Amino acid sequence: MHLLRTPAELSEWTETARRQGRRVGLVPTMGFLHRGHTSLMEASHERADLTAVSIFVNPTQFGPNEDLARYPRDLEGDLHKCREVKVDAVFTPEAGAMYPSGHRTFVEVTKLEDGLCGGRRPGHFRGVATVVTQLFALARPHVAVFGEKDWQQLQIVRRLAVDLHLGVEVVGMPIVREADGLAMSSRNAYLSGPERTRALALSRGLQAARARWAAGERGAPALCDAVRGELRAGEVREDYVELVDPSTLEPLERADRGDARLLVAGFVGKTRLIDNTAIGC
Ligand code: PAF
């Protein structure tokens, strides 16, 4: 497995692969890898000849009062996991290499970044879109794989890849869950035992909404209330619960078209968690 430390090393590695006629897959991550991430690496293996993983806790996507400093990190453990999944190269840049002094360019994906997590975390998706564009520019991957847990992020990355003519196929992979339904997330590491139990309210809420839909309910308020009931029961403080169009992320009144997405964000203690599900199919 190649360890690539600088942007130039990533470009050179992928350029060589391209010249050899090999398809390159990229899995962007912020590290502290779990089975959700390794499922993305496996998906990349199926679609590309070589897979590169980036591990970079991107400072520009954290707000001033967010968890950049305490975001969980475990580079040695991450490299071990990447080796186990037979990743070909890992890119671990320094923040100063991605954002050298004088850096002034940011990428904004208008509208898509306004609501949901973007509404609650101003500037977050500007940081995500900027670093993902940088990674795409450096690696020029044929395919890039992202998790569906960050549904809004996935739509934003899809949009920027098309709008900026980056020629990369953006693939979304299903949420990987623990046996009890908790969506895998690096932030689960913050949860105490009792908090982890309370965190199940998010997936339970989405399940409750799906059950309401299966029983004939179509209205967004009732479907969202089904989620809220579980959040209250788990003492999870709601950040938002919204039924939206899966690609435009516009709010929907009803889920009768067969392609709505229900998204939830909530705080368990100080930890902010997100989850989502397709509804109506
Ligand atoms: O989903 C993440 O881990 C990050 O937002 C990403 C896409 C790696 C950009 O920093």
Side-chain angles (χ1 to χ4, degrees), residues 148-167:
E148 288 185 349
K149 187 172 74 65
D150 294 280
W151 185 263
Q152 186 175 15
Q153 167 174 283
L154 177 60
Q155 306 322 308
I156 286 172
V157 172
R158 284 206 162 114
R159 192 70 252 164
L160 78 83
V162 171
D163 290 353
L164 299 177
H165 308 278
L166 298 180

Side-chain angles (χ1 to χ4, degrees), residues 9 17 45 105 123 128 182 201 206 220 225 259 270 274:
E9 283 171 7
H45 281 325
T105 306
V128 171
L182 184 67
L206 295 174
D225 278 349
D259 67 347
K270 288 192 171 130
I274 56 174

Side-chain angles (χ1 to χ4, degrees), residues 210-243:
R210 285 175 67 94
R212 292 287 297 271
W213 192 90
E217 180 60 63
R218 296 292 180 266
L223 294 169
C224 292
D225 278 349
V227 182
R228 291 190 179 108
E230 291 295 328
L231 295 186
R232 274 194 300 276
E235 294 173 46
V236 174
R237 182 161 59 83
E238 173 186 338
D239 200 19
Y240 64 75
V241 181
E242 280 190 51
L243 185 76

Side-chain angles (χ1 to χ4, degrees), residues 79-266:
L79 294 176
H80 179 71
K81 284 174 193 146
C82 288
R83 277 194 198 94
E84 276 185 341
V85 191
K86 302 206 181 328
V87 163
D88 299 285
V90 177
F91 176 52
T92 58
E94 296 292 330
M98 297 300 276
Y99 300 105
S101 73
H103 177 273
R104 289 284 175 270
T105 306
F106 289 90
V107 178
E108 284 183 5
V109 182
T110 57
K111 284 260 182 219
L112 286 182
E113 65 178 37
D114 291 348
L116 303 165
C117 289
R120 276 82 186 169
R121 302 182 66 190
H124 169 66
F125 286 118
R126 181 182 190 250
V128 171
T130 300
V131 78
V132 169
T133 303
Q134 290 181 329
L135 292 169
F136 285 177
L138 290 169
R140 296 180 57 232
H142 296 84
V143 56
V145 191
F146 294 81
E148 288 185 349
K149 187 172 74 65
D150 294 280
W151 185 263
Q152 186 175 15
Q153 167 174 283
L154 177 60
Q155 306 322 308
I156 286 172
V157 172
R158 284 206 162 114
R159 192 70 252 164
L160 78 83
V162 171
D163 290 353
L164 299 177
H165 308 278
L166 298 180
V168 52
E169 179 195 355
V170 176
V171 173
M173 292 304 291
I175 297 173
V176 177
R177 297 182 180 280
E178 306 279 2
D180 56 11
L182 184 67
M184 292 210 177
S185 165
S186 304
R187 289 195 165 92
N188 292 347
Y190 299 145
L191 302 170
S192 66
E195 283 177 340
R196 196 197 165 290
T197 306
R198 285 163 50 205
L200 293 174
L202 278 83
S203 55
R204 285 207 184 117
L206 295 174
Q207 255 179 313
R210 285 175 67 94
R212 292 287 297 271
W213 192 90
E217 180 60 63
R218 296 292 180 266
L223 294 169
C224 292
D225 278 349
V227 182
R228 291 190 179 108
E230 291 295 328
L231 295 186
R232 274 194 300 276
E235 294 173 46
V236 174
R237 182 161 59 83
E238 173 186 338
D239 200 19
Y240 64 75
V241 181
E242 280 190 51
L243 185 76
V244 300
D245 177 283
S247 334
T248 66
L249 306 177
E250 296 284 345
L252 293 177
E253 295 287 313
R254 295 175 59 78
D256 44 12
R257 295 208 325 252
D259 67 347
R261 202 89 195 175
L262 187 56
L263 293 91
V264 56

